[in-house]
Amino acid sequence: EFLKEAELSPGKVIRPHIFKHELLQNFSFHLFAKRPVEPIKDMASFRRSLARRVCLAALQIRLNVGGRSDDPAFTFVEFNQLDSAREGCAVCSLDMTADPPRWREAVLKSVAEIRKLGIHGVTPGEMERYASALLTDAEQLAAQGDMISHGDQLSYLMETVANGHTFMSAEQSYVITEQALSTLTLEEVNRSAAELCSHITGLNDGELTSAGKVVAVACAPKGPESGDDSFVDEDKLCQAIRDACSIEVEPVEDVVVPHTLVTPDELEEAMKANPPSWEEGQFSDGTPNTPADRITRPFTLRRLSNGIRVGINQNPAESQRGHLRLVAPGGRDAERRLGFKSGSLAVGARAMQEGGSFGSFSREQVELFAVDHLIMVEITCTEESLVMDFVFPTTNVGNSGYGENMKLGITGTESVLQIVREILIDFNWEEDALGRSKSSYRTAHESLGKSLEGKSTEMIMDAVTSGDDRFLSIDVDTVNAVTLEDAKNAVMSQLRPKDIEISVSGDIVVGEVMEQIRQYLGTVPADTNAEYEVKDAIMEFDSVPKLAPGKHLDLELEDSDPRAVAYVAGASPNQWGFLADGTSVAQRVSEADKRASDYDKQRRAHPLFGNAALSLISEIANRRLFSTVRERKQLTYDANFSLTGFERMKGGSFLVTVTASKEKAQKALDACKETLEALRKSNPISVDNLESAKRVVLNRHEGELRTSQYWATIMSGIQEESIPLKGPLSVTDFHVVIEAMTTTDLQLALDCMGLDESELYTCIGKTVQPVGLVVDDIVKASPMAGMGRGGALMG
């Protein structure tokens, strides 16, 4: 039964398999073909491997960029071929998810796109674009070669040797990649495209059938009957694949991709119209203003004349890489304060991510510009801010030619600043992008209702926040009610120059990047997006709702897999020590300790005191839960203590999560409550607990300082008035404040949290078997090692 084959037409055979389950939310489709691994041992085999990677990159971008242009049926699609030592072959796979009613359309579109590549190959523009990207990728890896961990090197060595390839260092790989790409031809690439897609093209009548089996696996929700659009079985799946293989496909037309989004002439005009200048950095934690004309360590903090706050740090630990974070305070809290429709900022942020058209440039042109310059963009809306993260190379990218004939493009840093500028002043809002955003949120909310962990977490957070929609998943009706105008007005109201903060870290020359920021962002007019500003708005952030007396909740969810999850939640301060009533940890600790010395009073007055105390408490609580609930009582295999970590809203909550068997769920929950109670009273924090936690917190901080993303994160908010205790001292004095903490500090800080039995919210979620379920005896296989997915540009 498992090896059953289906004949699409004479001589064209595939193996179809359908898996259905009542908790599946989406349709997913996986088309596999296995081929012999081609050992890479000489220049010829290396050139063929590069040609395949160019093809894979071209197809992936076509699916992601071109396929999203007109509301496609699939929500995710990836095509890849990976050498697998465990499988003993190269696995070529198409992975795709789609809305169940549109599964057939999704199969037709994705399979036809593969056929198009196999028949017509890549365009000259695609060849140049992705060959350049591969070279830049190899160059960055070579620059980071001496920073790759021993574990990663060993894994790479083992995988390389197991597949019969020649092992090369990152530097050797870069040199040979440049040599190979300089002579790689379009004909070679298109020959590889035909080989790569032969298992698909070979299913069409009249085409040569490829060797080996083709396996088609579909996973779908259980329930729809044969007359429903969502219904799928082996016959319907095979028919859809057959139809996709018989579609006539036309060659792809090359897209003209701009080398720059802002021309030198446009920049010169902007400099004349809005002459930019630097102003002093200003802080609310007591730090004196930083000069407007001097680079400082460990970061340079200033403001532009249009109001944009800027922080920049040089981090050579990530060679040739950079991270830019744009933060606009507001988030879902602003939806309520400023009178926007619920969900409009969150849906709008996602629509901006799904869109990407600037001025006269189409979305496809902008996305390919980002691809050419190896830029990754993520735009999110949290409870209290709109956040845009950009990861980019700091070297020249979008180059053409090789060796002495190479023509350099602009740097990745400059490319990112151009994108940020265009987002602020010339972003085009598109209805189809909003549609994709809504679809994403609808799917996420519906999936939440079918997840034991997701539904349980939502239930306890609903109780803790008294149903405050700022902290909950956005339901389908709320998502559907958001219009393009709602989304546009909400998001653009946050992108006023005077409100936003830009933090940049990476392997950069600080002076050069500061000048680029002055030119590209300093010339953004100060009144940009003023038309979206809400007049007489409440600017101060709301507090987290005050918790009512605690209660217990129970949840049952139908699932054939028996398991349980338990939660304990309660009130806590925010990340900087502010409670919902406006008081702070430092204030309460000082009032409670009547015998405090002048030195203790001085320590506790430091703006980082509350943050440091909560970091250490979180670490100690996690260790106690692990040692008590898992190791000593053996009631769970995972127990975790976490804080919400709000920075701008006063107050927050803690959440203890425990996974356990259904029989042990109540005991695990009781053990967690006992552990938290013992932490306050019978078994208080010891000196050993404290010293151990200090080592962990400081080592984690030191390790993360090697990443540009961490630097961008800790710099964000330093010049922001809505986070009064976050300033330069939160970074420069981190070690000193952590080392000075005492057990008395932490014990008194614990009293600021809602750990009393009467204040705790608890929840147990359990699965119940569906009516009529027949339990099978199939042994579940462990996940396969060495089968990780990767992008087409990854080696």
Side-chain angles (χ1 to χ4, degrees):
E1 180 67 22
F2 188 71
L3 298 177
K4 183 179 72 174
E5 295 182 348
E7 195 171 54
L8 297 187
S9 60
K12 313 292 183 181
V13 177
I14 67 170
R15 248 180 221 163
H17 302 287
I18 306 288
F19 173 77
K20 294 186 178 183
H21 195 278
E22 57 274 357
L23 288 184
L24 286 176
Q25 187 69 33
N26 294 312
F27 169 86
S28 65
F29 177 61
H30 313 274
L31 193 66
F32 299 98
K34 293 185 176 182
R35 300 177 171 132
V37 172
E38 181 186 6
I40 300 173
K41 292 188 172 182
D42 51 28
M43 180 61 87
S45 56
F46 188 75
R47 285 163 66 90
R48 285 193 293 273
S49 75
L50 288 179
R52 277 194 298 272
R53 290 171 64 190
V54 169
C55 297
L56 288 167
L59 180 58
Q60 189 61 53
I61 299 304
R62 285 185 192 179
L63 290 167
N64 286 349
V65 178
R68 293 198 302 120
S69 57
D70 54 356
D71 188 29
F74 48 73
T75 52
F76 166 83
V77 62
E78 181 180 71
F79 183 80
N80 212 342
Q81 177 167 305
L82 296 170
D83 294 338
S84 170
R86 183 185 178 93
E87 291 285 301
C89 62
V91 181
C92 185
S93 61
L94 167 68
D95 300 305
M96 180 265 291
T97 59
D99 293 329
R102 303 177 66 186
W103 70 265
R104 188 175 183 280
E105 181 187 348
V107 170
L108 290 174
K109 174 71 177 177
S110 54
V111 172
E113 201 66 55
I114 297 170
R115 286 191 67 243
K116 188 185 297 183
L117 178 73
I119 294 170
H120 299 293
V122 303
T123 67
E126 287 176 323
M127 164 76 179
E128 181 180 349
R129 179 177 307 122
Y130 303 121
S132 174
L134 288 177
L135 183 61
T136 304
D137 198 48
E139 182 184 7
Q140 289 182 352
L141 190 62
Q144 298 167 10
D146 58 348
M147 300 174 193
I148 299 172
S149 70
H150 293 165
D152 289 343
Q153 284 279 28
L154 182 59
S155 297
Y156 173 53
L157 174 61
M158 292 168 64
E159 190 76 15
T160 300
V161 173
N163 284 309
H165 304 322
T166 299
F167 178 80
M168 294 182 286
S169 69
E171 292 80 4
Q172 291 171 324
S173 180
Y174 169 63
V175 171
I176 196 171
T177 297
E178 185 173 30
Q179 290 175 5
L181 288 176
S182 64
T183 56
L184 191 67
T185 65
L186 185 63
E187 289 72 22
E188 287 178 272
V189 173
N190 287 341
R191 201 157 46 240
S192 288
E195 293 172 3
L196 192 65
C197 306
S198 60
H199 63 297
I200 301 291
T201 55
L203 294 175
N204 192 28
D205 292 340
E207 298 285 344
L208 184 65
T209 306
S210 64
K213 301 295 182 185
V214 178
V215 181
V217 180
C219 303
K222 184 182 285 186
E225 299 302 324
S226 58
D228 194 288
D229 288 340
S230 300
F231 178 77
V232 58
D233 60 14
E234 282 84 354
D235 292 338
K236 284 184 174 291
L237 182 64
C238 289
Q239 186 59 47
I241 295 171
R242 177 178 172 78
D243 292 345
C245 290
S246 60
I247 295 174
E248 288 296 323
V249 289
E250 298 295 328
V252 171
E253 291 186 13
D254 251 337
V255 177
V256 178
V257 182
H259 292 290
T260 179
L261 298 178
V262 182
T263 65
D265 290 342
E266 290 171 336
L267 191 59
E268 187 178 347
E269 288 179 19
M271 294 280 285
K272 291 177 181 176
N274 300 286
S277 62
W278 287 111
E279 296 179 357
E280 295 179 335
Q282 301 172 31
F283 316 101
S284 52
D285 70 337
T287 302
N289 291 357
T290 51
D293 57 354
R294 196 165 72 245
I295 294 173
T296 54
R297 302 291 181 195
F299 33 51
T300 300
L301 304 166
R302 300 183 194 169
R303 299 192 184 199
L304 286 161
S305 50
N306 58 10
I308 296 177
R309 302 156 174 82
V310 176
I312 188 164
N313 154 265
Q314 184 180 41
N315 178 33
E318 289 189 333
S319 185
Q320 298 188 8
R321 300 297 294 170
H323 193 105
L324 182 147
R325 169 167 283 201
L326 182 153
V327 175
R332 299 215 60 204
D333 182 70
E335 292 174 355
R336 175 182 298 181
R337 283 189 291 109
L338 305 183
F340 293 117
K341 190 177 289 183
S342 179
S344 56
L345 248 169
V347 174
R350 179 71 188 186
M352 184 173 268
Q353 169 94 44
E354 291 287 341
S357 168
F358 305 146
S360 60
F361 297 117
S362 69
R363 179 187 60 82
E364 192 172 12
Q365 285 179 303
V366 173
E367 289 202 19
L368 290 175
F369 174 83
V371 169
D372 281 4
H373 295 83
L374 303 182
I375 297 169
M376 289 186 287
V377 186
E378 184 176 14
I379 302 175
T380 54
C381 176
T382 69
E383 292 89 347
E384 51 181 10
S385 62
L386 181 67
V387 182
M388 301 184 192
D389 283 303
F390 302 84
V391 180
F392 55 93
T394 55
T395 52
N396 294 85
V397 281
N399 309 327
S400 58
Y402 303 94
E404 296 178 356
N405 299 320
M406 181 181 287
K407 294 181 181 178
L408 296 178
I410 60 177
T411 65
T413 315
E414 199 169 352
S415 307
V416 162
L417 293 174
Q418 290 183 355
I419 291 175
V420 172
R421 176 186 173 85
E422 293 301 300
I423 287 175
L424 295 178
I425 66 173
D426 213 4
F427 186 83
N428 297 327
W429 287 85
E430 301 167 329
E431 198 69 54
D432 64 326
L434 180 71
R436 291 191 293 274
S437 170
K438 287 183 172 185
S439 176
S440 172
Y441 271 101
R442 283 193 294 263
T443 300
H445 182 75
E446 289 166 356
S447 298
L448 194 72
K450 293 191 175 184
S451 161
L452 179 66
E453 294 78 6
K455 195 168 184 178
S456 301
T457 305
E458 183 83 347
M459 178 185 281
I460 197 166
M461 291 311 298
D462 182 61
V464 167
T465 62
S466 302
D468 193 323
D469 61 7
R470 292 175 296 172
F471 310 101
L472 303 176
S473 170
I474 309 174
D475 62 58
V476 173
D477 290 339
T478 301
V479 170
N480 290 339
V482 176
T483 65
L484 187 65
E485 199 64 20
D486 294 331
K488 177 181 178 181
N489 290 338
V491 173
M492 300 312 288
S493 72
Q494 306 296 290
L495 298 180
R496 297 292 318 281
K498 65 184 179 64
D499 296 329
I500 65 177
E501 183 173 28
I502 304 281
S503 303
V504 185
S505 177
D507 184 16
I508 55 177
V509 178
V510 174
E512 289 181 5
V513 176
M514 294 295 281
E515 179 58 22
Q516 289 174 347
I517 290 173
R518 188 182 74 87
Q519 292 179 3
Y520 283 109
L521 303 184
T523 53
V524 173
D527 62 353
T528 296
N529 299 323
E531 65 270 27
Y532 301 102
E533 187 171 14
V534 178
K535 306 301 180 187
D536 303 320
I538 301 171
M539 299 312 295
E540 187 174 345
F541 278 80
D542 287 344
S543 295
V544 170
K546 188 176 180 181
L547 268 65
K551 59 182 177 181
H552 178 75
L553 306 164
D554 283 301
L555 169 72
E556 289 187 344
L557 185 74
E558 279 196 355
D559 190 352
S560 55
D561 185 17
R563 65 188 194 282
V565 61
Y567 295 93
V568 181
S572 77
N574 75 0
Q575 188 175 332
W576 295 94
F578 284 106
L579 286 84
D581 62 5
T583 61
S584 68
V585 168
Q587 180 184 338
R588 289 197 178 189
V589 168
S590 297
E591 290 173 355
D593 190 1
K594 304 298 183 185
R595 300 166 60 185
S597 65
D598 290 341
Y599 172 66
D600 287 334
K601 293 175 182 176
Q602 182 183 358
R603 281 191 310 104
R604 292 164 181 168
H606 194 286
L608 191 61
F609 176 81
N611 181 293
L614 293 169
S615 297
L616 293 169
I617 286 173
S618 182
E619 182 60 37
I620 291 168
N622 264 311
R623 289 196 167 212
R624 285 283 186 92
L625 287 165
F626 185 87
S627 63
T628 302
V629 185
R630 174 174 169 164
E631 293 191 331
R632 186 156 60 83
K633 297 194 175 185
Q634 297 184 346
L635 294 171
T636 179
Y637 48 86
D638 184 37
N640 176 264
F641 178 95
S642 60
L643 298 166
T644 46
F646 299 132
E647 292 196 283
R648 298 163 185 85
M649 289 188 283
K650 291 183 172 65
S653 60
F654 69 85
L655 184 68
V656 178
T657 308
V658 186
T659 50
S661 65
K662 292 169 67 173
E663 298 76 21
K664 294 181 178 179
Q666 186 61 55
K667 289 182 179 179
L669 179 66
D670 293 338
C672 288
K673 291 162 65 178
E674 290 168 14
T675 303
L676 295 177
E677 180 65 16
L679 203 57
R680 292 174 60 217
K681 297 180 178 177
S682 61
N683 189 11
I685 296 169
S686 67
V687 173
D688 285 346
N689 293 155
L690 176 60
E691 292 305 312
S692 178
K694 284 180 181 178
R695 284 195 300 273
V696 172
V697 170
L698 290 174
N699 288 340
R700 184 189 303 131
H701 177 70
E702 281 299 316
E704 290 183 332
L705 284 177
R706 295 180 58 81
T707 68
S708 298
Q709 180 180 3
Y710 186 63
W711 274 107
T713 302
I714 61 178
M715 285 191 292
S716 295
I718 280 182
Q719 300 187 69
E720 205 179 298
E721 292 79 3
S722 57
I723 315 177
L725 297 183
K726 189 171 187 179
L729 296 177
S730 65
V731 179
T732 57
D733 290 359
F734 188 86
H735 277 261
V736 175
V737 174
I738 292 287
E739 289 287 10
M741 299 297 288
T742 66
T743 54
T744 302
D745 293 332
L746 301 194
Q747 213 62 51
L748 293 173
L750 272 174
D751 292 335
C752 300
M753 305 178 76
L755 296 174
D756 191 83
E757 174 79 25
S758 63
E759 300 174 297
L760 294 178
Y761 286 75
T762 58
C763 174
I764 293 180
K766 295 181 180 180
T767 58
V768 292
Q769 291 192 347
V771 178
L773 175 73
V774 177
V775 180
D776 58 41
D777 297 320
I778 295 175
V779 178
K780 295 180 180 177
S782 61
M784 288 191 297
M787 284 296 290
R789 301 286 182 205
L793 294 180
M794 302 300 290

